[in-house]
Amino acid sequence: MIFKQWDDTALVHLCGSLTHADFERFNAVLDHLSRAAPSTFVLDLSDVNFIDSSGIGMLLMAQELAEHRECLCRLRGVGPAAWAILEQAHVSDLFEVDPHLPGLDPDGSGIAAA
């Protein structure tokens, strides 16, 4: 997981699988997001190839944190496999999803405008 912040937008780039084994690291990122208080969280899933039920729970925790802090949580770069898992779990409609290409905003600068 890579965490970056620009102004009021925080970008968390997730890689590989999002499973129970990643919970402690993901929870640490959520703690950091809570302290940094960005107005938008962007979770970049462009390099995530598998999400299990714990991973779905972690994404929902990020969404809950954003709602609690009255800010926005966006997913971007959601590949077909990850999207299928979110749809099968009936949680895909709970997230704002960036419609742009994985990992890029319309001008190619690397972070989507909120």
Coordinates of all heavy atoms in Angstrom, one line a residue, residues 29-98:
V29 N -3.5 2.6 7.6 CA -3.8 3.6 6.6 C -5.0 4.4 6.9 O -5.1 5.6 6.8 CB -3.9 3.0 5.1 CG1 -4.5 4.0 4.1 CG2 -2.6 2.5 4.7
L30 N -6.1 3.7 7.4 CA -7.3 4.4 7.8 C -7.0 5.3 9.0 O -7.6 6.4 9.0 CB -8.4 3.3 8.2 CG -9.0 2.5 7.1 CD1 -10.1 1.6 7.6 CD2 -9.5 3.4 5.9
D31 N -6.2 4.9 9.9 CA -5.8 5.7 11.0 C -5.1 7.0 10.5 O -5.4 8.1 11.0 CB -4.9 5.0 12.0 CG -5.6 4.0 12.9 OD1 -6.9 4.0 13.0 OD2 -4.9 3.1 13.5
H32 N -4.2 6.8 9.6 CA -3.5 8.0 9.0 C -4.5 8.9 8.2 O -4.4 10.1 8.4 CB -2.4 7.5 8.0 CG -1.6 8.6 7.5 ND1 -0.6 9.1 8.3 CD2 -1.5 9.2 6.3 CE1 0.0 10.1 7.6 NE2 -0.6 10.2 6.4
L33 N -5.4 8.3 7.5 CA -6.4 9.1 6.8 C -7.3 9.9 7.8 O -7.6 11.1 7.6 CB -7.4 8.2 6.0 CG -6.8 7.7 4.7 CD1 -7.7 6.6 4.1 CD2 -6.5 8.8 3.7
S34 N -7.6 9.3 8.9 CA -8.4 10.0 9.9 C -7.6 11.1 10.5 O -8.2 12.2 10.7 CB -8.8 9.0 11.0 OG -9.6 9.6 12.0
R35 N -6.4 11.0 10.8 CA -5.5 12.1 11.3 C -5.3 13.2 10.3 O -5.3 14.4 10.6 CB -4.2 11.6 11.9 CG -4.4 10.8 13.2 CD -3.0 10.5 13.8 NE -2.1 9.8 12.9 CZ -2.0 8.5 12.7 NH1 -2.9 7.7 13.3 NH2 -1.1 8.0 11.9
A36 N -5.1 12.8 9.0 CA -4.7 13.7 7.9 C -5.9 14.5 7.5 O -5.8 15.6 7.0 CB -4.1 13.0 6.7
A37 N -7.1 14.0 7.7 CA -8.4 14.6 7.4 C -8.5 15.2 6.0 O -8.9 16.4 5.8 CB -8.7 15.7 8.5
P38 N -8.2 14.4 5.0 CA -8.5 14.9 3.6 C -10.0 15.0 3.3 O -10.8 14.3 4.0 CB -7.8 13.9 2.7 CG -7.9 12.6 3.5 CD -7.8 13.0 5.0
S39 N -10.4 15.8 2.4 CA -11.8 15.9 2.0 C -12.2 14.8 1.1 O -13.4 14.5 0.9 CB -12.1 17.2 1.4 OG -11.4 17.4 0.2
T40 N -11.2 14.1 0.4 CA -11.5 13.0 -0.5 C -10.4 11.9 -0.3 O -9.2 12.2 -0.2 CB -11.4 13.4 -1.9 OG1 -12.4 14.5 -2.2 CG2 -11.7 12.3 -2.9
F41 N -10.9 10.6 -0.2 CA -10.0 9.5 -0.1 C -10.2 8.8 -1.5 O -11.3 8.6 -2.0 CB -10.4 8.4 0.8 CG -10.7 8.8 2.3 CD1 -11.4 7.9 3.1 CD2 -10.2 10.0 2.8 CE1 -11.6 8.3 4.4 CE2 -10.5 10.3 4.1 CZ -11.2 9.5 4.9
V42 N -9.1 8.6 -2.2 CA -9.1 7.8 -3.5 C -8.4 6.5 -3.2 O -7.2 6.5 -2.9 CB -8.4 8.6 -4.6 CG1 -8.4 7.8 -5.9 CG2 -9.1 10.0 -4.8
L43 N -9.1 5.4 -3.4 CA -8.5 4.1 -3.2 C -8.3 3.6 -4.6 O -9.2 3.3 -5.4 CB -9.4 3.2 -2.4 CG -9.8 3.6 -1.0 CD1 -10.8 2.7 -0.4 CD2 -8.6 3.9 -0.2
D44 N -7.0 3.5 -5.0 CA -6.6 3.0 -6.4 C -6.5 1.5 -6.3 O -5.6 1.0 -5.7 CB -5.3 3.7 -6.8 CG -4.9 3.4 -8.2 OD1 -5.5 2.4 -8.8 OD2 -4.1 4.1 -8.7
L45 N -7.4 0.8 -7.0 CA -7.4 -0.6 -7.1 C -6.8 -1.2 -8.4 O -7.0 -2.3 -8.7 CB -8.8 -1.2 -6.9 CG -9.5 -0.7 -5.6 CD1 -10.9 -1.3 -5.6 CD2 -8.8 -1.1 -4.4
S46 N -6.1 -0.3 -9.2 CA -5.7 -0.7 -10.5 C -4.7 -1.9 -10.5 O -4.6 -2.6 -11.5 CB -5.1 0.4 -11.3 OG -4.0 1.0 -10.5
D47 N -4.0 -2.1 -9.3 CA -3.1 -3.3 -9.2 C -3.6 -4.4 -8.3 O -2.9 -5.2 -7.8 CB -1.7 -2.8 -8.8 CG -1.0 -2.0 -9.9 OD1 -1.2 -2.4 -11.1 OD2 -0.4 -1.0 -9.5
V48 N -4.9 -4.3 -8.0 CA -5.5 -5.4 -7.1 C -6.1 -6.4 -8.0 O -7.0 -6.1 -8.9 CB -6.6 -4.8 -6.2 CG1 -7.4 -5.8 -5.5 CG2 -6.0 -3.8 -5.2
N49 N -5.7 -7.7 -7.8 CA -6.2 -8.8 -8.7 C -7.2 -9.7 -7.9 O -7.8 -10.5 -8.6 CB -5.1 -9.6 -9.2 CG -4.1 -10.1 -8.1 OD1 -4.5 -10.2 -7.0 ND2 -2.9 -10.3 -8.5
F50 N -7.4 -9.5 -6.6 CA -8.3 -10.4 -5.9 C -8.7 -9.6 -4.6 O -7.9 -9.0 -4.0 CB -7.6 -11.7 -5.5 CG -8.5 -12.6 -4.7 CD1 -9.6 -13.3 -5.3 CD2 -8.3 -12.7 -3.3 CE1 -10.4 -14.1 -4.5 CE2 -9.2 -13.5 -2.6 CZ -10.2 -14.2 -3.2
I51 N -10.0 -9.7 -4.3 CA -10.5 -9.2 -3.0 C -11.4 -10.3 -2.4 O -12.3 -10.8 -3.0 CB -11.4 -8.0 -3.3 CG1 -10.7 -6.9 -4.1 CG2 -12.0 -7.4 -2.0 CD1 -11.6 -5.7 -4.5
D52 N -11.1 -10.6 -1.1 CA -11.9 -11.6 -0.4 C -12.9 -10.8 0.5 O -13.0 -9.6 0.4 CB -11.1 -12.6 0.4 CG -10.4 -12.0 1.6 OD1 -10.6 -10.8 1.9 OD2 -9.6 -12.8 2.2
S53 N -13.7 -11.5 1.2 CA -14.7 -10.9 2.1 C -14.1 -9.9 3.1 O -14.6 -8.8 3.4 CB -15.5 -11.9 2.8 OG -14.7 -12.7 3.6
S54 N -12.9 -10.2 3.6 CA -12.2 -9.3 4.5 C -11.8 -8.0 3.7 O -11.9 -6.9 4.3 CB -11.0 -9.9 5.1 OG -11.3 -11.0 5.9
G55 N -11.4 -8.1 2.5 CA -11.0 -7.0 1.7 C -12.2 -6.1 1.4 O -12.1 -4.9 1.4
I56 N -13.4 -6.7 1.1 CA -14.6 -6.0 0.9 C -14.9 -5.2 2.2 O -15.3 -4.0 2.2 CB -15.8 -6.9 0.5 CG1 -15.5 -7.5 -0.9 CG2 -17.1 -6.2 0.6 CD1 -16.5 -8.6 -1.2
G57 N -14.7 -5.9 3.4 CA -15.0 -5.2 4.6 C -14.1 -4.0 4.8 O -14.5 -3.0 5.4
M58 N -12.8 -4.1 4.4 CA -11.9 -3.0 4.6 C -12.3 -1.8 3.7 O -12.2 -0.7 4.1 CB -10.4 -3.5 4.2 CG -9.9 -4.4 5.3 SD -8.2 -4.9 4.9 CE -8.4 -6.4 4.0
L59 N -12.7 -2.1 2.5 CA -13.2 -1.0 1.6 C -14.4 -0.4 2.2 O -14.6 0.9 2.2 CB -13.6 -1.6 0.2 CG -12.4 -2.1 -0.6 CD1 -12.9 -2.7 -1.9 CD2 -11.3 -1.0 -0.8
L60 N -15.3 -1.2 2.8 CA -16.5 -0.6 3.5 C -16.1 0.2 4.8 O -16.7 1.2 5.1 CB -17.5 -1.7 3.9 CG -18.2 -2.4 2.7 CD1 -18.9 -3.6 3.2 CD2 -19.0 -1.4 2.0
M61 N -15.0 -0.2 5.4 CA -14.5 0.6 6.6 C -14.0 1.9 6.1 O -14.3 3.0 6.8 CB -13.4 -0.2 7.3 CG -13.8 -1.4 8.1 SD -12.4 -2.4 8.7 CE -11.4 -1.2 9.5
A62 N -13.4 2.0 5.0 CA -12.9 3.3 4.4 C -14.1 4.1 4.1 O -14.1 5.3 4.3 CB -12.0 3.0 3.2
Q63 N -15.1 3.5 3.5 CA -16.3 4.3 3.1 C -17.0 4.8 4.4 O -17.4 5.9 4.4 CB -17.3 3.3 2.3 CG -18.6 4.0 2.0 CD -18.4 5.1 1.0 OE1 -17.5 5.2 0.2 NE2 -19.3 6.1 1.1
E64 N -17.1 4.0 5.4 CA -17.7 4.4 6.7 C -16.9 5.6 7.3 O -17.5 6.5 7.8 CB -17.8 3.2 7.7 CG -18.5 3.5 8.9 CD -18.6 2.3 9.9 OE1 -18.7 1.2 9.4 OE2 -18.6 2.5 11.1
L65 N -15.6 5.5 7.3 CA -14.7 6.6 7.8 C -15.0 7.9 7.0 O -15.2 8.9 7.6 CB -13.3 6.2 7.7 CG -12.3 7.3 8.1 CD1 -12.5 7.7 9.6 CD2 -10.8 6.9 7.9
A66 N -15.1 7.8 5.7 CA -15.4 8.9 4.9 C -16.7 9.5 5.3 O -16.9 10.8 5.4 CB -15.3 8.6 3.4
E67 N -17.7 8.7 5.4 CA -19.1 9.2 5.8 C -19.0 9.8 7.2 O -19.6 10.9 7.4 CB -20.1 8.1 5.8 CG -20.4 7.6 4.4 CD -21.3 6.4 4.3 OE1 -21.8 5.9 5.4 OE2 -21.6 5.8 3.2
H68 N -18.3 9.2 8.1 CA -18.2 9.8 9.5 C -17.5 11.1 9.4 O -17.9 12.0 10.2 CB -17.5 8.8 10.4 CG -17.2 9.3 11.7 ND1 -18.2 9.4 12.7 CD2 -16.1 9.8 12.3 CE1 -17.8 9.9 13.8 NE2 -16.5 10.1 13.6
R69 N -16.5 11.3 8.6 CA -15.8 12.5 8.5 C -16.4 13.5 7.5 O -15.9 14.6 7.2 CB -14.3 12.3 8.1 CG -13.6 11.4 9.1 CD -12.2 11.4 8.9 NE -11.6 12.7 9.0 CZ -11.3 13.4 10.1 NH1 -11.6 12.8 11.3 NH2 -10.7 14.6 10.1
E70 N -17.6 13.1 6.9 CA -18.3 13.9 6.0 C -17.4 14.3 4.8 O -17.3 15.5 4.4 CB -18.9 15.2 6.6 CG -19.9 14.8 7.7 CD -20.5 16.0 8.4 OE1 -20.1 17.2 8.1 OE2 -21.5 15.8 9.2
C71 N -16.7 13.3 4.3 CA -15.9 13.5 3.1 C -16.3 12.4 2.1 O -17.2 11.6 2.3 CB -14.4 13.6 3.4 SG -13.8 12.1 4.2
L72 N -15.5 12.4 1.0 CA -15.8 11.4 -0.1 C -14.8 10.3 -0.2 O -13.6 10.6 0.0 CB -15.8 12.2 -1.4 CG -16.2 11.5 -2.7 CD1 -17.6 11.0 -2.7 CD2 -16.0 12.4 -3.9
C73 N -15.3 9.1 -0.4 CA -14.4 8.0 -0.7 C -14.7 7.5 -2.1 O -15.8 7.2 -2.4 CB -14.7 6.8 0.3 SG -13.7 5.4 0.1
R74 N -13.6 7.5 -2.9 CA -13.8 7.1 -4.3 C -12.9 5.9 -4.6 O -11.8 5.8 -4.0 CB -13.4 8.2 -5.2 CG -14.2 9.5 -5.1 CD -13.6 10.6 -6.0 NE -13.6 10.2 -7.4 CZ -14.6 10.5 -8.2 NH1 -15.7 11.1 -7.8 NH2 -14.5 10.2 -9.5
L75 N -13.4 5.0 -5.5 CA -12.5 3.9 -6.0 C -12.1 4.3 -7.4 O -12.9 4.9 -8.1 CB -13.3 2.6 -6.0 CG -13.9 2.1 -4.7 CD1 -14.6 0.8 -4.9 CD2 -12.9 2.0 -3.6
R76 N -10.9 3.9 -7.8 CA -10.5 4.1 -9.2 C -9.7 2.9 -9.6 O -9.1 2.2 -8.7 CB -9.8 5.4 -9.4 CG -8.4 5.4 -9.0 CD -7.7 6.7 -9.5 NE -6.3 6.7 -9.1 CZ -5.5 7.7 -9.3 NH1 -5.9 8.8 -9.8 NH2 -4.2 7.6 -8.9
G77 N -9.6 2.7 -10.9 CA -8.8 1.7 -11.4 C -9.4 0.3 -11.1 O -8.6 -0.7 -11.0
V78 N -10.7 0.2 -10.9 CA -11.2 -1.1 -10.5 C -11.3 -2.0 -11.7 O -12.0 -1.7 -12.7 CB -12.7 -1.0 -9.9 CG1 -13.2 -2.3 -9.5 CG2 -12.6 0.0 -8.8
G79 N -10.5 -3.1 -11.7 CA -10.5 -4.0 -12.9 C -11.7 -4.9 -12.9 O -12.5 -5.0 -11.9
P80 N -11.9 -5.6 -14.0 CA -13.0 -6.5 -14.2 C -13.2 -7.6 -13.1 O -14.3 -7.8 -12.6 CB -12.8 -7.1 -15.5 CG -11.9 -6.3 -16.2 CD -11.0 -5.6 -15.2
A81 N -12.1 -8.2 -12.7 CA -12.2 -9.2 -11.6 C -12.6 -8.6 -10.3 O -13.5 -9.2 -9.6 CB -10.8 -9.9 -11.5
A82 N -12.0 -7.5 -9.9 CA -12.3 -6.9 -8.6 C -13.8 -6.4 -8.7 O -14.5 -6.5 -7.7 CB -11.3 -5.7 -8.3
W83 N -14.2 -5.8 -9.8 CA -15.5 -5.3 -9.9 C -16.5 -6.4 -9.8 O -17.6 -6.2 -9.2 CB -15.7 -4.5 -11.3 CG -17.0 -3.9 -11.3 CD1 -18.1 -4.2 -12.1 CD2 -17.5 -2.7 -10.6 NE1 -19.2 -3.4 -11.9 CE2 -18.8 -2.5 -10.9 CE3 -16.9 -1.9 -9.6 CZ2 -19.6 -1.5 -10.4 CZ3 -17.7 -0.9 -9.0 CH2 -19.0 -0.7 -9.4
A84 N -16.2 -7.5 -10.4 CA -17.2 -8.7 -10.4 C -17.3 -9.1 -8.9 O -18.5 -9.5 -8.5 CB -16.6 -9.8 -11.2
I85 N -16.3 -9.1 -8.1 CA -16.3 -9.5 -6.7 C -17.2 -8.5 -6.0 O -18.1 -8.9 -5.2 CB -14.9 -9.6 -6.1 CG1 -14.2 -10.8 -6.7 CG2 -15.0 -9.7 -4.6 CD1 -12.7 -10.9 -6.5
L86 N -17.0 -7.2 -6.2 CA -17.8 -6.2 -5.5 C -19.3 -6.3 -5.9 O -20.2 -6.2 -5.1 CB -17.3 -4.8 -5.8 CG -15.9 -4.5 -5.3 CD1 -15.5 -3.1 -5.8 CD2 -15.9 -4.6 -3.8
E87 N -19.6 -6.6 -7.2 CA -21.0 -6.8 -7.6 C -21.6 -8.0 -7.0 O -22.7 -8.0 -6.6 CB -21.0 -6.8 -9.2 CG -20.9 -5.5 -9.8 CD -21.1 -5.5 -11.3 OE1 -20.7 -6.5 -12.0 OE2 -21.8 -4.6 -11.8
Q88 N -20.8 -9.1 -7.0 CA -21.4 -10.4 -6.4 C -21.7 -10.2 -4.9 O -22.6 -10.8 -4.4 CB -20.4 -11.5 -6.6 CG -20.2 -12.0 -8.0 CD -19.1 -13.0 -8.2 OE1 -18.4 -13.3 -7.3 NE2 -19.0 -13.5 -9.4
A89 N -20.9 -9.3 -4.2 CA -21.2 -9.1 -2.8 C -22.3 -8.0 -2.6 O -22.6 -7.7 -1.5 CB -19.9 -8.6 -2.1
H90 N -22.8 -7.5 -3.7 CA -23.8 -6.5 -3.7 C -23.4 -5.2 -2.9 O -24.2 -4.6 -2.2 CB -25.1 -7.0 -3.1 CG -25.6 -8.2 -3.8 ND1 -26.2 -8.2 -5.0 CD2 -25.6 -9.5 -3.5 CE1 -26.6 -9.4 -5.4 NE2 -26.2 -10.2 -4.5
V91 N -22.1 -4.8 -3.1 CA -21.6 -3.6 -2.5 C -21.1 -2.6 -3.5 O -20.8 -1.5 -3.1 CB -20.5 -3.9 -1.5 CG1 -21.0 -4.7 -0.3 CG2 -19.3 -4.5 -2.1
S92 N -21.1 -2.9 -4.8 CA -20.6 -2.0 -5.8 C -21.3 -0.7 -5.8 O -20.7 0.4 -6.1 CB -20.6 -2.7 -7.2 OG -22.0 -3.0 -7.5
D93 N -22.6 -0.6 -5.5 CA -23.3 0.6 -5.6 C -23.1 1.5 -4.3 O -23.6 2.6 -4.3 CB -24.8 0.4 -5.8 CG -25.4 -0.5 -4.7 OD1 -24.7 -1.2 -4.0 OD2 -26.7 -0.4 -4.5
L94 N -22.3 1.0 -3.4 CA -22.0 1.8 -2.2 C -20.9 2.7 -2.4 O -20.6 3.5 -1.5 CB -21.8 0.9 -1.0 CG -22.9 -0.1 -0.6 CD1 -22.5 -1.0 0.5 CD2 -24.2 0.7 -0.2
F95 N -20.2 2.6 -3.5 CA -18.9 3.4 -3.7 C -19.1 4.3 -4.9 O -19.8 4.0 -5.9 CB -17.8 2.5 -4.0 CG -17.4 1.5 -2.9 CD1 -17.9 0.2 -2.9 CD2 -16.7 2.0 -1.8 CE1 -17.6 -0.6 -1.8 CE2 -16.4 1.1 -0.7 CZ -16.8 -0.2 -0.8
E96 N -18.4 5.5 -4.8 CA -18.2 6.4 -5.9 C -17.1 5.7 -6.7 O -16.0 5.4 -6.1 CB -17.8 7.8 -5.4 CG -18.8 8.6 -4.8 CD -19.7 9.3 -5.8 OE1 -19.2 9.6 -6.9 OE2 -20.8 9.6 -5.5
V97 N -17.3 5.6 -8.0 CA -16.2 4.9 -8.8 C -15.8 5.9 -9.9 O -16.6 6.4 -10.6 CB -16.7 3.6 -9.4 CG1 -15.6 3.0 -10.3 CG2 -17.2 2.6 -8.3
D98 N -14.5 6.2 -10.0 CA -14.0 7.1 -11.0 C -14.1 6.4 -12.3 O -13.6 5.3 -12.5 CB -12.5 7.3 -10.7 CG -11.9 8.4 -11.5 OD1 -12.5 8.7 -12.6 OD2 -10.9 9.0 -11.1

